[in-house]
Amino acid sequence: METNDQVNILLVDDRPENLLALEATLAELGQNLIKANSGAEALRCVLKQDFAAILLDVQMPEMDGFETAALIRERERSKSTPIIFITAISKSEQEAFKGYAVGAVDYVFKPIVPEILRAKVRVFVDLYQKAMAIRQQAAQLEAVNATLQKEIAERERAEAEIQALYANLTQKANELARANEELEAFSYSTSHDLRAPLRTMQSFSQFLLEDYAERLDETGKDYLQRIAAAAMRMDDLIQDLLAYSRLSRTEMELKPLHLKQAITETMAELATVIRESHAQIETDDVSFWVIGHRATVNQVIANLLTNAVKFIPPGASPQVRVWAERRAVAARASGSQPANEGASEDGRPRFVVRLWVEDNGIGIAPEHQERIFHPFERLHGRETYPGTGIGLAIVRKGMERMGGCAGVESELGHGSRFWIELPQA
Ligand code: ADP
């Protein structure tokens, strides 16, 4: 209900001409005027609806104004409705007191002065409308409050659910991590133990080939050589597996190291492979300091270089280019200057160094570019390109353990560009 909504005003008088006069006087207030011609009629009205004010004639037959007022006050709905008594000028003070005693709010004496009556009634209309508005606002507030309470309760329930899920997830993650550790420890020790019998197989097939060669025909020798080759392949596999699982087991102390030196050392280690493959390796712009674990960085570079000279189309000679570049890491918060060049205020590197190894090899189709970083994922048969399928898994895991990352850009038939990224020192 708006404050300017019409309100009800009850006019009570036994004489129709008086009622009409009252009606005419109050018409300009623009409210809803309801007429009753007796006290009984007035009581029926107050039972049915609410009134902003009741104008009550005092002198009425049967039930006079005071009796009517007393009964109006008894009804719950009308117990505080303002009552204005209308009485003849021949009032006595005693009568006025009686009126106040039964709950009159005001008196109007006959003959009625229209302006005064209107002014008095207007006050009650205003009061009533304001009270209504306040009640309405209170109801709205209550509704909003109820909705808010409901939302809070729902949010609390959702939060509790999330927390429970999170706790569950953390527990599962811990269990998984423990299971993983156990598995890694198991595979590490198994791989280790597997190498001893393998070496025995290799040695004895070698002894057979050397000491019993004249007693074996060509087929026998061929079989033996195959046994030796298979044992060697298995040994390679186990060594790679050991290197892979060692990556998660060893504590890595990360220190500044010079990329150029790491590349020079690795190329020296790979001298034979490079020479035998007739590869040309060109290195430029690799003078950067990075933060990493020396042995792991060397191993990662070695794996990338080995692949770069290995996955070459038949008849072609490998051309490899190695270079590095400094890249800014997207800023996270404030733009203020960090204390040192390499790291930002929140401890994250501000710059990383990306090392590229580009080859002129067979290339990799886009759909395989992610899976080749997983253990044992190979795109070719061992006869075409030998290998264990663990090299790139070592690259990815090693980089992650050093807080870096690795990736590839390539197109089938058009060479590949592998990259690794480490924080700049
Ligand atoms: P491996 O070299 O022992 O096969 P990797 O994990 O190093 O294992 O590589 C996985 C696979 O990714 C390789 O078998 C090959 O199919 C593909 N690959 C890796 N490096 C290159 C490269 N430079 N060019 C083309 N393919 C590559």
Side-chain angles (χ1 to χ4, degrees), residues 112-281:
I112 290 169
V113 183
E115 284 72 30
I116 293 179
L117 181 65
R118 270 198 298 275
K120 285 180 189 245
V121 175
R122 193 176 283 125
V123 169
F124 292 120
V125 169
D126 275 1
L127 271 174
Y128 186 81
Q129 283 174 331
K130 289 203 172 104
M132 287 304 290
I134 288 170
R135 226 174 291 157
Q136 197 186 15
Q137 277 167 3
Q140 276 170 356
L141 269 177
E142 215 167 280
V144 170
N145 199 24
T147 321
L148 266 176
Q149 293 291 345
K150 212 169 118 198
E151 272 171 20
I152 289 171
E154 260 162 34
R155 198 163 299 171
E156 276 173 358
R157 205 172 37 247
E159 253 165 41
E161 258 171 45
I162 289 172
Q163 292 221 323
L165 278 175
Y166 184 72
N168 198 359
L169 215 69
T170 316
Q171 196 196 341
K172 290 254 155 55
N174 288 342
E175 281 169 14
L176 262 175
R178 223 178 8 256
N180 208 20
E181 266 169 34
E182 278 167 19
L183 204 70
E184 276 180 358
F186 172 76
S187 65
Y188 185 78
S189 60
T190 324
S191 310
H192 216 268
D193 294 350
L194 280 175
R195 289 194 74 200
L198 256 187
R199 257 185 253 119
T200 313
M201 278 167 68
Q202 278 176 300
S203 314
F204 279 99
S205 39
Q206 200 57 39
F207 294 159
L208 270 176
L209 277 171
E210 283 169 11
D211 302 344
Y212 293 82
E214 69 283 2
R215 293 202 222 160
L216 291 167
D217 61 10
E218 284 313 305
T219 317
K221 282 183 200 160
D222 179 49
Y223 287 171
L224 266 181
Q225 265 150 0
R226 287 190 199 203
I227 292 173
M232 200 148 85
R233 235 184 5 256
M234 191 148 174
D235 195 35
D236 286 347
L237 197 66
I238 291 171
Q239 281 199 58
D240 277 1
L241 266 176
L242 278 171
Y244 182 70
S245 66
R246 211 177 289 127
L247 271 181
S248 9
R249 299 163 61 80
T250 42
E251 275 297 315
M252 275 191 198
E253 204 190 333
L254 304 180
K255 286 185 187 158
L257 60 98
H258 202 253
L259 210 48
K260 187 172 185 171
Q261 195 187 343
I263 294 168
T264 313
E265 281 171 13
T266 312
M267 299 233 303
E269 275 169 35
L270 295 179
T272 317
V273 180
I274 295 170
R275 198 178 46 247
E276 283 174 0
S277 64
H278 307 291
Q280 287 221 322
I281 300 184

Side-chain angles (χ1 to χ4, degrees), residues 307 310-311 359 364 372 377-380 387-389 391-392 418:
N307 283 349
K310 179 165 68 171
F311 294 99
D359 63 48
I364 305 151
I372 54 171
E377 292 287 356
R378 307 197 72 239
L379 306 177
H380 313 94
T388 57
L392 288 179
F418 280 85

Side-chain angles (χ1 to χ4, degrees), residues 237 240 303-312 357-365 368-369 371-382 385-395 408 410 412 415-418:
L237 197 66
D240 277 1
N303 290 5
L304 293 182
L305 285 175
T306 316
N307 283 349
V309 301
K310 179 165 68 171
F311 294 99
I312 293 295
V357 177
E358 184 185 71
D359 63 48
N360 61 336
I362 54 176
I364 305 151
H368 300 313
Q369 289 176 7
R371 75 174 172 99
I372 54 171
F373 286 93
H374 298 172
F376 304 119
E377 292 287 356
R378 307 197 72 239
L379 306 177
H380 313 94
R382 228 182 20 249
Y385 294 106
T388 57
I390 298 172
L392 288 179
I394 289 177
V395 168
V408 64
S410 182
L412 196 59
S416 309
R417 275 179 181 184
F418 280 85

